[in-house]
Amino acid sequence: MDTYRAIEERARRRFPRIAFDAVAGGADDEVTLRRNRAAFDDIALIPRLLRGVEEVSTEVELFGQRARTPVLLGPAGISVVAGNRAFGEAIRGATAAGTFTALSAFLPLDAVAREGEPPQWAHLYLLRDRDETRRRIETAQRRGCSALILTAAAPVNGNRERELRNGTTFPLQLRVRDVLRRPWWLGEYLSRDLARSMGERVRREPAQGGPWDAVRKIHLSGQSWDDLRWVREMWDGPLLLKGVLAPEDGAAAVEAGCEGVIVSSHGGRQLDSAPAAIEMLPEVVAAVAGRGRVLVDSGITRGTDVVKALALGASAVLLGKAWIYAVMTGGADGITRLLTQLEYEIGNTMHLMGVGDVADLGPDSIRLRAGRAWERVAPR
Ligand SMILES: Cc1cc2nc3c(=O)[nH]c(=O)nc-3n(C[C@H](O)[C@H](O)[C@H](O)COP(=O)(O)O)c2cc1C
């Protein structure tokens, strides 16, 4: 059974700490990382009885594409822990499970195309190098990506202290002792062509001291709504702003021409003490007010989490750590097994709730624990 817990445990056992922590770690004291999970426990699912539900459909439509489940693989720059091949594997695994993926800006789209896999949704960070940003948009367009995710939650990197403690560099460079502690990894390192993935990164984006220095050097740290509008003008297709937590930003995104937003606390990796994304979802849904699609990620590990997100108004969810562990430990088949498990869990949950179609999930399907919501401070 490839549940999240099982594959996370597998990754923890098999991979050197420096690689596992680069995926598992959060910023500062990892408050948001924990919150992202804990918040789901404070949402209850309400079963309805005797509703004659025989078959359950988990299918959704997103910008003209149909997916068997409302679960996508979210963007993640993971060449350094799983190799460039991981992206092709992720696409293959997701396609086999009837859903699709959003790719990282760091992903060499042409390399994936060489593997014969059509890229799906593309992902972009705003870079200091505007020409490179434009080139990435043009490449995504040329390769036929059907939507673009612009992540605005990383003008600088989060303060991930596990990475500091482990001496993680950007890009990741393993030391002999890291490998010796996990001999299994050595085979992985060689077979997944990790050395080359890393080598490519070293040439293109040399690290300058700590991991966050490198990000600051590459990302446009003073990014603004004008930059989003600049992308909007260039990109011909659905555009989604990722990293939204404030309802005002959700509203501003659709007003600036985005077709959707992704409510996300970046898996707890960026601003620590940010709320769990699922906690802010209802406010963002209300602010977007049907003018765009609202997706959510951060902390999704179970079918019940997906059902809760849909009941709170999300059109779909994205996975982060879950798919990364799956590809690190099982390649394309690992991805398919994880997504198939989630499909089963979502369908089973809905059946137990007496809901036959995801479109019928709504406020009546859930209750929130009273007194735990974020409240605004009264104006002074
Ligand atoms: C190792 C790793 C790399 C990531 N890289 C990116 C990235 O390049 N761009 C981005 O928008 N989000 C990135 N994310 C964040 C994910 O897209 C997603 O928002 C987050 O992981 C969801 O939370 P979860 O891991 O709890 O599911 C990354 C996450 C991880 C774990």
Side-chain angles (χ1 to χ4, degrees):
M1 226 185 346
D2 278 39
T3 60
Y4 177 85
R5 273 196 197 167
I7 54 173
E8 180 192 42
E9 193 40 45
R10 216 172 287 153
R12 190 197 310 278
R13 276 200 321 270
R14 287 186 186 174
F15 282 79
R17 165 170 271 186
I18 194 169
F20 178 77
D21 277 357
V23 178
D28 291 356
D29 295 316
E30 305 191 332
V31 173
T32 300
L33 179 78
R34 287 190 298 278
R35 228 173 230 168
N36 276 335
R37 278 300 316 139
F40 281 100
D41 295 344
D42 285 331
I43 305 170
L45 295 172
I46 308 299
R48 296 299 308 275
L49 308 178
L50 304 172
R51 292 196 144 189
V53 172
E54 177 67 32
E55 295 294 331
V56 170
S57 168
T58 61
E59 217 180 272
V60 290
E61 176 275 329
L62 285 167
F63 307 116
Q65 276 172 284
R66 293 207 79 77
R68 213 158 78 200
T69 57
V71 182
L72 278 60
L73 308 189
I78 57 158
S79 317
V80 290
V81 287
N84 281 339
R85 259 181 34 203
F87 295 103
E89 291 171 337
I91 295 175
R92 266 201 307 286
T95 306
T99 185
F100 46 91
T101 63
L103 308 173
S104 164
F106 293 129
L107 169 66
L109 284 172
D110 291 318
V112 167
R114 273 202 301 277
E115 282 192 35
E117 300 303 331
Q120 301 174 336
W121 290 11
H123 157 258
L124 185 76
Y125 279 127
L126 289 162
L127 309 176
R128 282 188 192 280
D129 183 343
R130 269 188 192 270
D131 289 341
E132 176 61 19
T133 314
R134 184 185 300 108
R135 267 196 298 278
R136 289 184 182 198
I137 298 172
E138 286 166 358
T139 306
Q141 202 97 59
R142 199 175 58 243
R143 296 233 53 84
C145 293
S146 52
L148 180 68
I149 295 176
L150 176 68
T151 300
V156 292
N157 223 7
N159 175 38
R160 290 178 217 137
E161 293 188 350
R162 289 200 211 193
E163 295 180 11
L164 251 189
R165 281 197 299 273
N166 293 338
T168 312
T169 54
F170 181 82
L172 181 64
Q173 269 154 349
L174 294 179
R175 294 150 305 199
V176 174
R177 69 181 147 94
D178 297 319
V179 177
L180 289 182
R181 282 197 198 124
R182 292 281 192 283
W184 183 89
W185 163 270
L186 189 60
E188 192 71 355
Y189 184 83
L190 298 172
S191 74
R192 299 185 69 83
D193 214 5
L194 276 168
R196 213 183 63 194
S197 311
M198 292 179 194
E200 284 174 10
R201 293 284 298 284
V202 174
R203 277 198 300 282
R204 244 183 304 132
E205 286 145 7
Q208 296 283 315
W212 31 93
D213 289 349
V215 166
R216 194 181 175 88
K217 191 161 163 269
I218 297 162
H219 289 196
L220 182 64
S221 44
Q223 46 197 256
S224 71
W225 289 100
D226 282 343
D227 297 305
L228 180 137
R229 282 187 277 271
W230 177 74
V231 173
R232 174 66 290 176
E233 272 172 31
M234 254 182 305
W235 172 253
D236 181 19
L239 177 65
L240 293 95
L241 180 65
K242 175 169 181 280
V244 170
L245 288 172
E248 295 82 354
D249 285 345
V254 287
E255 281 153 22
C258 289
E259 281 80 3
V261 299
I262 301 177
V263 181
S264 168
S265 48
H266 214 96
R269 299 165 64 80
Q270 286 298 103
L271 175 65
D272 199 27
S273 282
I278 194 77
E279 292 172 312
M280 296 309 289
L281 177 64
E283 280 193 53
V284 178
V285 168
V288 168
R291 294 173 290 171
R293 309 297 289 269
V294 181
L295 282 70
V296 66
D297 75 15
S298 299
I300 308 253
T301 65
R302 273 283 184 199
T304 46
D305 301 338
V306 182
V307 170
K308 289 171 186 178
L310 298 187
L312 286 169
S315 299
V317 307
L318 293 90
L319 301 178
K321 289 182 271 295
W323 82 259
I324 301 170
Y325 295 142
V327 84
M328 280 164 85
T329 57
D333 289 346
I335 294 281
T336 308
R337 285 196 301 269
L338 167 72
L339 290 169
T340 308
Q341 171 69 23
L342 282 171
E343 181 181 359
Y344 160 73
E345 290 177 16
I346 297 166
N348 191 249
T349 301
M350 287 170 58
H351 214 152
L352 290 169
M353 291 171 70
V355 176
D357 194 295
V358 286
D360 298 331
L361 288 166
D364 290 345
S365 317
I366 49 169
R367 293 288 185 280
L368 306 182
R369 195 185 290 284
R372 294 290 303 268
W374 296 109
E375 290 178 6
R376 281 178 192 269
V377 179
R380 273 194 280 263

